[in-house]
Amino acid sequence: MSDSAADAMVETMARMQEAHNRQVHAEWRTQGYPYYRAVWVECAELLDHFGWKWWKHQQPDPEQVKLEVVDIWHFGLSDLMRAEALTPDVADALGGVSGTGGDAEAFRLAVETLAEQTLAQRVFALAPFIAVLEVLPLPLPELFRLYVGKNVLNHFRQDHGYKTGHYRKTWQGREDNAHLVEILERLDCPPDAVPDRLYRELARRYEGQPA
């Protein structure tokens, strides 16, 4: 991937994250939100979707696993932005993910290392996050696509009472993340039209219209 393409994707995600964070709190940078804590808790949720219990059969859910990684990136990106650490080196590291992948246990260990280092340092640990992307694998173009989708869903949640407790996360018998994955797979439009089309489709389903 070219440096310019990686830079453009990271800059776009940063703009979207800034808008979402401002929706949560206009002065989000000074509130002391513990983004590191959100990262390691999301790591545990990620492993639940991937599977780690040796005493029962578990089938990994690849799409939900990737969305959990995207959730981690939302918090990690916020932490980097707040610390003014979103340098060109970050785009270089993300753009350098080869997508070769690894085995299941290597992935579990990579997730645990991310949780361990983030918790120990009380900040988002970029290097082990890159390792998670490598082992999964989740190269930058796919991370970008899923990030845009989940960012729109987060915006939708806030608009519909997520912070006040009025939001319904399950519609038509499925969680909103499942609807998101399905809609993204079906969308056929230019990239710049994805946010608006996705938001409108989420609203249609949330209001009880057929999927």
Side-chain angles (χ1 to χ4, degrees):
M1 169 176 288
S2 69
D3 291 345
S4 59
D7 288 342
M9 288 182 184
V10 173
E11 288 171 5
T12 298
M13 289 189 286
R15 286 196 301 271
M16 296 182 74
Q17 191 65 46
E18 176 74 29
H20 173 71
N21 288 352
R22 285 183 176 273
Q23 188 180 25
V24 174
H25 196 293
E27 303 297 332
W28 65 274
R29 280 182 169 83
T30 60
Q31 301 311 300
Y33 295 138
Y35 292 119
Y36 79 91
R37 184 175 298 148
V39 169
W40 71 260
V41 171
E42 291 287 351
C43 285
E45 294 180 8
L46 168 57
L47 284 180
D48 274 339
H49 284 295
F50 187 78
W52 61 274
K53 297 176 181 178
W54 60 90
W55 62 90
K56 61 181 291 188
H57 174 73
Q58 291 186 295
Q59 186 66 36
D61 187 338
E63 291 304 323
Q64 288 302 316
V65 166
K66 290 176 181 178
L67 285 176
E68 291 294 344
V69 174
V70 170
D71 284 345
I72 290 170
W73 176 235
H74 275 79
F75 296 118
L77 178 58
S78 296
D79 206 29
L80 291 170
M81 292 167 63
R82 181 173 60 185
E84 298 185 357
L86 193 62
T87 65
D89 290 343
V90 175
D92 290 344
L94 292 169
V97 173
S98 63
T100 54
D103 62 31
E105 188 58 19
F107 178 72
R108 295 185 187 101
L109 291 173
V111 174
E112 288 176 343
T113 299
L114 171 60
E116 178 184 20
Q117 293 191 17
T118 296
L119 183 56
Q121 300 168 14
R122 297 294 197 270
V123 296
F124 175 62
L126 179 64
F129 178 72
I130 297 297
V132 168
L133 298 181
E134 284 280 8
V135 179
L136 186 52
L138 187 60
L140 180 56
E142 188 174 6
L143 174 69
F144 176 75
R145 179 182 69 86
L146 292 173
Y147 173 89
V148 171
K150 193 58 183 286
N151 185 280
V152 171
L153 176 59
N154 286 340
H155 184 73
F156 181 84
R157 286 170 168 175
Q158 290 295 327
D159 284 347
H160 290 79
Y162 201 59
K163 194 173 182 181
T164 62
H166 294 92
Y167 179 72
R168 292 178 290 107
K169 197 171 183 179
T170 300
W171 339 320
Q172 303 173 29
R174 291 184 296 166
E175 285 197 2
D176 53 8
N177 276 328
H179 287 284
L180 173 65
V181 170
E182 185 175 271
I183 295 168
L184 284 173
E185 289 176 348
R186 294 180 178 182
L187 278 182
D188 183 16
C189 60
D192 60 354
V194 169
D196 181 63
R197 287 277 299 275
L198 175 57
Y199 191 99
R200 286 191 283 116
E201 179 63 16
L202 288 169
R204 185 178 70 80
R205 295 189 181 199
Y206 188 74
E207 290 164 4
Q209 300 179 43

